[in-house]
Amino acid sequence: MLDLKFVRDNPDIVREALKKRGYDLNFERFLSLEAKRLNFLKEIEQKRALRNSVSQEIASLKKAEGAKHKTDELISQMRKLGDELSVLEQKLREIEEKVYDFILLIPNIPHHTVLVGKDETENVEIRRWGDPPMFDFEPLNHWDIGEILGIIDFERAGKIAGSRFAVMKGAGARLERALINFMLDLNISKGYIEVFPPLLVNKASMTATGQLPKFEEDLFRIVEPEFYLIPTAEVPVTNLHREEILSEDDLPFYYVSYTPCFRKEAGSHGKDVRGLIRQHQFNKVELVKFVKPEDSYDELESLTKDAEEILQKLNLPYRVVALCTGDLGFASAKTYDIEVWLPAQNCYREISSCSNFEDFQARRGNIRFRRKSKKGTEFVHTLNGSGLAVGRTVVAIIENYQQKNGSIVVPEVLRPYMGIDIIR
């Protein structure tokens, strides 16, 4: 979330920055709530100061002879003052909740290098890697190939659970598992620490990373006891250090985590209804970083390169796109999307999103660090990126490595994991 004082003291800067995102902030309501909060604070502080002063006077009078009447009168006044304070403190708590709820719904301010644009059509391609394969036959969609080879079963998944689910079978299941292990091994070799976190998290964890309260409709929620199924490993891994003060020597932290992920895909009706692109349950390997503020944009570049290297080793063509202001995620200050080439769709599709949240999530989760050379604490900067979305990587391999005879060549780096060269 944004710094409350910064929003209050710089309404024009914040309003203009959020306008670039297409977000219209109701500053009048915010400033009205904040003015009430500050007035309550001022009145409470004055009454507390008076109570402290009179308490000292009462202590002195108790030592003096003949001052009982005056002492009793002051004690009576203090009881009345205490009741007034209780009422004011309750009103302050109520207005603070309203201010906090308001701030929680404000998205992050875009970094100054993010291009202004209305939506994904105005994103900017940064670079490409690899050439799309040339086929001497009409390439099939991954769902057709998967069903022909018997490695993906959508019909039985629908029977078991419903739409937007898949059963991976035989070599399909082995391919999914091989990709997970390959992605984990590659990033562990770079110094990332592997984490396998809970798949159920509490409301505080969802709020810290920005999923709540804004995106509750896209989350799977368990009512009693209250838990949420994670939409990405970003949520539990970022919350590893919630409410902690780290030392400067601790930073940076690099984590890699494989988890199943769960999303309702609310609002995606009619989009990607077939295949593995948009599922309610899918596997993903996530990269999460905790870094010092001055390092975070260099870390974003290296995070993106780490995700890219996976595609390079799999020899899958891709491009990197810088998101414009209108397409940024709620919590992000800057994001690169990596899009892999899918022959059957004749286009690039997102397979990883690498973002710098600056201190937005750290403020919500109260994740700080202490420098050796300075008093006090600062908020860390958090980053994350998919390394990679496993199901979409399966899609890319099936479609890019398909053969005319209907088989699929296994990428060379995955062969030691699968023990086969060809899926047929």
Side-chain angles (χ1 to χ4, degrees):
M1 82 188 154
L2 300 181
D3 178 22
L4 176 61
K5 184 176 185 301
F6 180 83
V7 176
R8 183 182 69 229
D9 295 347
N10 302 277
D12 292 337
I13 293 175
V14 176
R15 183 186 285 113
E16 187 60 31
L18 295 180
K19 191 182 294 183
K20 294 175 181 177
R21 297 188 61 134
Y23 185 89
D24 185 20
L25 179 63
N26 186 347
F27 260 101
E28 289 67 30
R29 171 168 167 72
F30 167 72
L31 293 174
S32 173
L33 289 171
E34 184 61 358
K36 289 179 182 177
R37 186 183 74 87
L38 293 175
N39 286 336
F40 280 130
L41 269 177
K42 183 178 180 181
E43 190 173 355
I44 288 170
E45 287 171 358
Q46 289 172 344
K47 289 187 181 295
R48 284 174 177 169
L50 176 60
R51 182 175 62 184
N52 291 339
S53 174
V54 174
S55 294
Q56 292 175 3
E57 185 179 354
I58 290 172
S60 298
L61 287 171
K62 282 183 176 179
K63 296 177 182 178
E65 293 184 8
K68 187 177 186 307
H69 176 72
K70 178 66 173 175
T71 302
D72 290 344
E73 183 180 337
L74 289 175
I75 289 173
S76 177
Q77 289 176 13
M78 285 304 94
R79 289 197 184 104
K80 183 180 178 182
L81 182 62
D83 292 339
E84 291 173 357
L85 265 173
S86 295
V87 172
L88 285 171
E89 286 167 348
Q90 177 58 34
K91 288 182 177 179
L92 176 63
R93 284 191 292 271
E94 291 171 1
I95 204 74
E96 282 179 336
E97 285 181 11
K98 290 179 180 179
V99 171
Y100 182 65
D101 289 344
F102 188 91
I103 286 288
L104 283 179
L105 290 171
I106 302 176
N108 204 353
I109 291 176
H111 190 255
H112 66 86
T113 60
V114 177
L115 294 175
V116 178
K118 64 179 183 300
D119 56 33
E120 62 183 12
T121 63
E122 298 190 41
N123 293 340
V124 179
E125 184 178 309
I126 302 299
R127 57 183 172 268
R128 290 190 182 196
W129 186 92
D131 296 318
M134 301 296 293
F135 297 104
D136 60 359
F137 60 94
E138 186 69 25
L140 296 178
N141 283 294
H142 69 278
W143 57 80
D144 290 329
I145 301 170
E147 289 183 344
I148 291 168
L149 293 175
I151 61 174
I152 309 175
D153 193 331
F154 295 105
E155 184 178 346
R156 287 188 174 89
K159 178 176 65 176
I160 295 167
S163 62
R164 296 191 188 274
F165 289 93
V167 173
M168 306 300 290
K169 295 165 58 180
R174 289 169 68 185
L175 176 59
E176 186 113 359
R177 180 159 51 90
L179 281 167
I180 292 167
N181 288 329
F182 164 66
M183 293 173 187
L184 287 172
D185 289 346
L186 180 60
N187 285 294
I188 290 168
S189 72
K190 296 178 183 178
Y192 286 85
I193 300 169
E194 184 179 0
V195 175
F196 189 71
L199 305 182
L200 294 171
V201 297
N202 55 33
K203 189 173 184 178
S205 294
M206 284 292 191
T207 302
T209 48
Q211 274 73 27
L212 289 177
K214 181 74 172 174
F215 303 106
E216 183 155 16
E217 67 171 9
D218 206 29
L219 303 171
F220 285 105
R221 176 171 171 250
I222 296 172
V223 177
E224 183 59 42
E226 187 179 44
F227 287 111
Y228 293 86
L229 284 164
I230 63 168
T232 165
E234 166 198 346
V235 176
V237 178
T238 301
N239 278 276
L240 282 175
H241 297 295
R242 191 176 81 234
E243 302 294 346
E244 291 185 15
I245 298 175
L246 310 171
S247 75
E248 185 177 10
D249 291 338
D250 290 332
L251 300 174
F253 276 122
Y254 298 164
Y255 293 115
V256 59
S257 180
Y258 152 70
T259 63
C261 305
F262 308 88
R263 295 180 188 175
K264 285 184 180 177
E265 293 293 348
S268 67
H269 304 293
K271 298 179 182 177
D272 300 309
V273 291
R274 295 195 68 183
L276 297 172
I277 293 293
R278 203 177 295 272
Q279 298 268 289
H280 288 313
Q281 176 184 322
F282 57 95
N283 291 318
K284 188 150 68 83
V285 174
E286 193 79 4
L287 307 175
V288 177
K289 292 184 174 185
F290 297 80
V291 305
K292 290 187 286 188
E294 63 269 25
D295 298 331
S296 66
Y297 279 94
D298 287 338
E299 293 283 4
L300 176 60
E301 299 299 324
S302 66
L303 176 71
T304 307
K305 293 289 178 62
D306 288 340
E308 287 181 68
E309 187 179 346
I310 298 167
L311 291 171
Q312 291 172 11
K313 288 187 176 297
L314 291 169
N315 199 27
L316 291 171
Y318 68 87
R319 69 175 186 166
V320 178
V321 175
L323 301 195
C324 69
T325 54
D327 198 31
L328 278 181
F330 176 79
S332 175
K334 185 172 183 175
T335 295
Y336 294 116
D337 273 3
I338 304 173
E339 300 177 348
V340 69
W341 177 255
L342 298 183
Q345 296 187 30
N346 196 37
C347 68
Y348 290 94
R349 295 296 301 268
E350 179 196 334
I351 197 166
S352 175
S353 191
C354 299
S355 300
N356 184 358
F357 305 106
E358 297 187 354
D359 64 3
F360 191 84
Q361 291 180 330
R363 285 184 182 278
R364 296 167 80 102
N366 196 24
I367 309 169
R368 295 171 288 161
F369 78 103
R370 181 175 283 112
R371 294 186 192 269
K372 290 179 286 189
S373 59
K374 288 175 62 177
K375 290 185 177 180
T377 60
E378 299 174 47
F379 290 103
V380 301
H381 280 195
T382 62
L383 305 91
N384 74 46
S386 306
L388 300 164
V390 179
R392 295 191 178 197
T393 311
V394 168
V395 170
I397 288 171
I398 290 174
E399 293 197 6
N400 282 276
Y401 281 89
Q402 63 179 293
Q403 304 297 299
K404 192 172 185 177
N405 65 5
S407 64
I408 304 166
V409 174
V410 175
E412 190 173 344
V413 293
L414 295 182
R415 292 173 189 174
Y417 292 92
M418 293 189 67
I420 56 174
D421 299 347
I422 297 175
I423 300 173
R424 53 167 64 93

